[in-house]
């Protein structure tokens, strides 16, 4: 089975399984295809993270997130001044940061970081796959060269981004129809994208990390005032960890991706919640929602105080999910009232003293350009793979045909924070692929798109499924909330009585825009497996926003 955020991508991945490929083969092939079908949100110009579970044990995680260029530094962007100069992130007002002049960290050549997708996907194939790279890329080449009808979702997103897409000639020539947005169903061809994929298929990852493609990208970026250079591509390496980052929830084993992503935060939340009887509270009750909201707030405060590139700032991020540390955090939850939490003290659990010069807290970056893929094969192997362009820079380099990321927007644009810009830094991101397994058998693989809202959504779906026995589809469709360090946004379907009581407990909540209620706060998708059912494989997906589809056989 394959779940992806485009029907054709899911069909392509399933064909790989039908021809004898495993879950990793299917995930990688689907990922390359998704980069063509949803090109502004992900692709070989971006990066991602993935977790692999092999039945009976084995697998691991790959962090192929984007890295800042070697020329990057903490004061590389000029900041806005005067009224409105702060980029106020509603759910995390205490951790907002200054706006950058002319959006130079989110748009154009100066916003581009080293892409990691090709390195990550090729490494996954080499470590756990059974097919060759050219086989995995072939369907994406065909779609890019022959074209496909634009989905309504992509066409609307391109229309919304018209100003940015029209700013650069090569981009406008590809993404616009004589200067106007393409409509839904328009036949969309990406000839240069196909040629780039063909070079990758012939030459392997070295094509992107020192070959002709990377040279074309670096040359165009340098000519247009950006910071990325060919030497940055040449020294890029994905981070591979055997078995990933592990934890437990209700006796089940959890595997995620460690480091500066959503994995440690989701595990910290689940470890906090493991100390509370949520099922006894009742789904959707005031106590249930209050406990979840407070647990997410605790982890969010830790996230913004400690999480950045550990290779640069020195904090062992994975210690935030340590069960003994989490015990101390869970004890601070007051069931009678909402709390404005301060940071915890994880240093003893990290086996280190807090350095006297440890950086200040960072903040929450905007992030809205992500896709997620989940695969499972007949052997019981599962993959959860999230990849992203962050938003997108708007830059398509001549002779390459690929939308480039704007991952410089992930780093705080001021010096002195734990997530400040630094040469080759891997900034804090929100991708949260996870796999739950029981005695060596994977029982759930899940992840999602939706920027900063992903990690809280993944946690809520897991709680709904594990604590309340809901099917994965039911668990995804339930009303949800999103919160970070401050006030929650809550789906009104929880009911007026519950919302009133939450207000009495001090939760100064807001409601989402009405048009967002049908796909609340993020778009998770996943696959569950149960030996108790004759049809043991079941998908769960969000059919709205970037609509996911499941295909199996």
């Amino acid at each position: 089975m394959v779940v992806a955020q485009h029907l054709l991508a899911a069909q392509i991945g399933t064909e790989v399984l039908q021809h004898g490929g495993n879950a990793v083969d299917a995930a990688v092939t689907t990922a390359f295809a998704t980069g063509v079908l949803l090109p502004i949100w992900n692709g070989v110009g971006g990066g991602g993270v993935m977790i692999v579970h092999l039945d009976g044990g084995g697998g691991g995680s790959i962090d192929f997130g984007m890295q800042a260029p070697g020329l990057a530094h903490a004061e590389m962007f000029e900041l806005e001044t005067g009224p409105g100069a702060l980029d106020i992130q509603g759910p995390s007002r205490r951790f907002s940061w200054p706006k950058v002049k002319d959006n130079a960290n989110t748009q154009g050549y100066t916003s581009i970081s080293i892409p990691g997708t090709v390195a990550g996907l090729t490494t996954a194939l080499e470590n756990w796959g059974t097919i060759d790279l050219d086989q995995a890329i072939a369907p994406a080449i065909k779609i890019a060269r022959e074209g496909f009808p634009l989905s309504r979702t992509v066409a609307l997103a391109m229309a919304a981004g018209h100003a940015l897409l029209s700013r650069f000639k090569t981009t406008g020539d590809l993404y616009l129809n004589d200067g106007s947005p393409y409509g839904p169903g328009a036949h969309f061809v990406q000839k240069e994208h196909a040629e780039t994929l063909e070079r990758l298929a012939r030459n392997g990852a070295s094509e992107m990390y020192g070959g002709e493609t990377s040279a074309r990208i670096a040359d165009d970026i340098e000519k247009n005032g950006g910071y990325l250079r060919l030497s940055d591509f040449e020294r890029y390496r994905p981070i591979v960890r055997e078995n990933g980052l592990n934890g437990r929830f209700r006796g089940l084993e959890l595997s995620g991706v460690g480091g500066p992503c959503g994995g440690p935060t989701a595990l910290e939340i689940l470890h906090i919640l493991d100390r509370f009887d949520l099922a006894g509270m009742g789904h959707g009750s005031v106590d249930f929602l209050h406990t979840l909201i407070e647990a997410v707030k605790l982890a969010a405060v830790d996230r913004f105080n400690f999480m950045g590139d550990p290779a640069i700032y020195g904090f062992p991020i994975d210690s935030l999910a340590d069960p003994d540390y989490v015990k101390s955090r869970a004890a601070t939850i007051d069931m009678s009232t909402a709390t404005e939490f301060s940071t915890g003290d994880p240093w003893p659990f990290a086996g280190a003293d807090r350095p006297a010069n440890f950086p200040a807290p960072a903040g929450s970056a905007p992030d809205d350009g992500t896709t997620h893929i989940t695969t499972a094969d007949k052997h019981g192997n599962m993959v959860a793979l999230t990849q992203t362009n962050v938003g997108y820079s708007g830059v398509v380099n001549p002779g390459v045909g690929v939308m480039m990321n704007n991952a410089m927007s992930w780093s705080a644009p001021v010096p002195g924070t734990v997530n400040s810009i630094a040469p080759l830094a891997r900034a804090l991101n929100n991708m949260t692929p996870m796999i739950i397994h029981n005695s060596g058998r994977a029982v759930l693989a899940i992840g999602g798109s939706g920027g900063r809202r992903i990690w809280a959504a993944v946690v809520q779906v897991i709680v709904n499924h594990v604590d309340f026995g809901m099917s994965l589809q039911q668990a995804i469709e339930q009303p949800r909330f999103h919160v970070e360090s401050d006030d929650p946004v809550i789906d009104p379907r929880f009911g007026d009585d519950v919302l009133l009581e939450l207000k009495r407990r001090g939760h100064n909540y807001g409601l989402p825009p009405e048009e967002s209620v049908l796909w609340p706060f993020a778009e998770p998708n996943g696959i569950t497996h149960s030996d108790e059912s004759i049809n043991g494989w079941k998908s769960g997906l969000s059919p709205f926003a970037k609509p996911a589809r499941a295909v199996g056989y």
Side-chain angles (χ1 to χ4, degrees), residues 169-466:
K169 183 180 187 309
T170 302
T171 306
D173 289 345
L174 174 61
Y175 281 92
L176 301 175
N177 182 18
D178 291 329
S180 298
Y182 284 102
H187 193 69
F188 189 59
V189 176
Q190 301 167 77
K191 179 178 178 292
E192 289 187 339
H193 194 159
E195 292 170 351
T196 293
L197 293 172
E198 288 173 338
R199 291 193 299 273
L200 292 171
R202 286 194 305 270
N203 303 323
S206 62
E207 173 64 31
M208 180 61 83
Y209 301 99
E212 180 181 347
T213 297
S214 54
R216 290 181 182 182
I217 295 171
D219 181 62
D220 183 51
I221 290 175
E222 183 173 7
K223 287 179 179 176
N224 287 279
Y227 297 92
L228 199 58
R229 300 293 184 265
L230 182 60
S231 58
D232 295 321
F233 286 91
E234 292 171 340
R235 54 189 166 185
Y236 182 88
R237 300 291 185 275
I239 299 173
V240 182
R241 294 179 55 173
E242 185 177 347
N243 298 321
L245 175 65
N246 299 309
R248 297 185 70 84
F249 180 69
R250 309 301 190 216
L252 297 170
E253 301 153 42
L254 308 170
S255 293
V257 180
C261 64
T265 302
L267 282 178
E268 182 178 1
I269 298 167
L270 288 166
H271 285 164
I272 292 172
L273 295 175
D274 201 33
R275 307 188 67 82
F276 293 86
D277 180 13
L278 299 177
M281 297 175 187
H283 186 272
S285 70
V286 175
D287 283 347
F288 167 83
L289 277 170
H290 175 81
T291 304
L292 261 70
I293 289 169
E294 297 296 275
V296 176
K297 285 164 58 180
L298 278 166
V301 169
D302 284 348
R303 178 178 178 85
F304 300 139
N305 271 277
F306 296 109
M307 291 183 69
D309 190 329
I312 294 174
Y313 297 109
F315 179 75
I317 289 171
D318 298 352
S319 64
L320 294 175
D322 183 283
D324 291 328
Y325 170 64
V326 165
K327 180 180 178 180
S328 69
R329 296 299 271 158
T332 65
I333 293 179
D334 184 338
M335 291 301 295
S336 66
T337 186
T339 302
E340 184 175 293
F341 293 108
S342 58
T343 181
D345 181 16
W347 292 97
F349 305 93
D353 295 327
R354 181 187 180 105
N357 60 346
F358 189 73
S364 50
D367 178 2
D368 58 2
T370 305
T371 65
H372 182 75
I373 295 162
T374 312
T375 65
D377 64 31
K378 63 184 179 182
H379 305 294
N381 306 317
M382 279 187 166
V383 176
L385 188 163
T386 310
Q387 58 184 21
T388 187
N389 282 342
V390 187
Y392 55 92
S393 65
V395 173
V396 174
N397 308 109
V400 179
V402 171
M403 177 61 71
M404 296 300 294
N405 69 80
N406 65 340
M408 291 307 298
S409 62
W410 269 344
S411 295
V414 292
T417 84
V418 74
N419 190 37
S420 292
I421 300 169
L424 305 180
R426 291 178 188 252
L428 181 61
N429 68 75
N430 301 290
M431 295 177 283
T432 316
M434 295 192 73
I435 295 179
I436 298 180
H437 40 105
N438 188 8
S439 301
R441 293 297 306 274
V443 297
L444 168 65
I446 189 170
S449 62
R452 299 196 327 275
R453 300 165 294 177
I454 296 172
W455 30 277
V458 166
V459 165
Q460 290 173 79
V461 172
I462 289 173
V463 166
N464 291 345
H465 178 66
V466 173

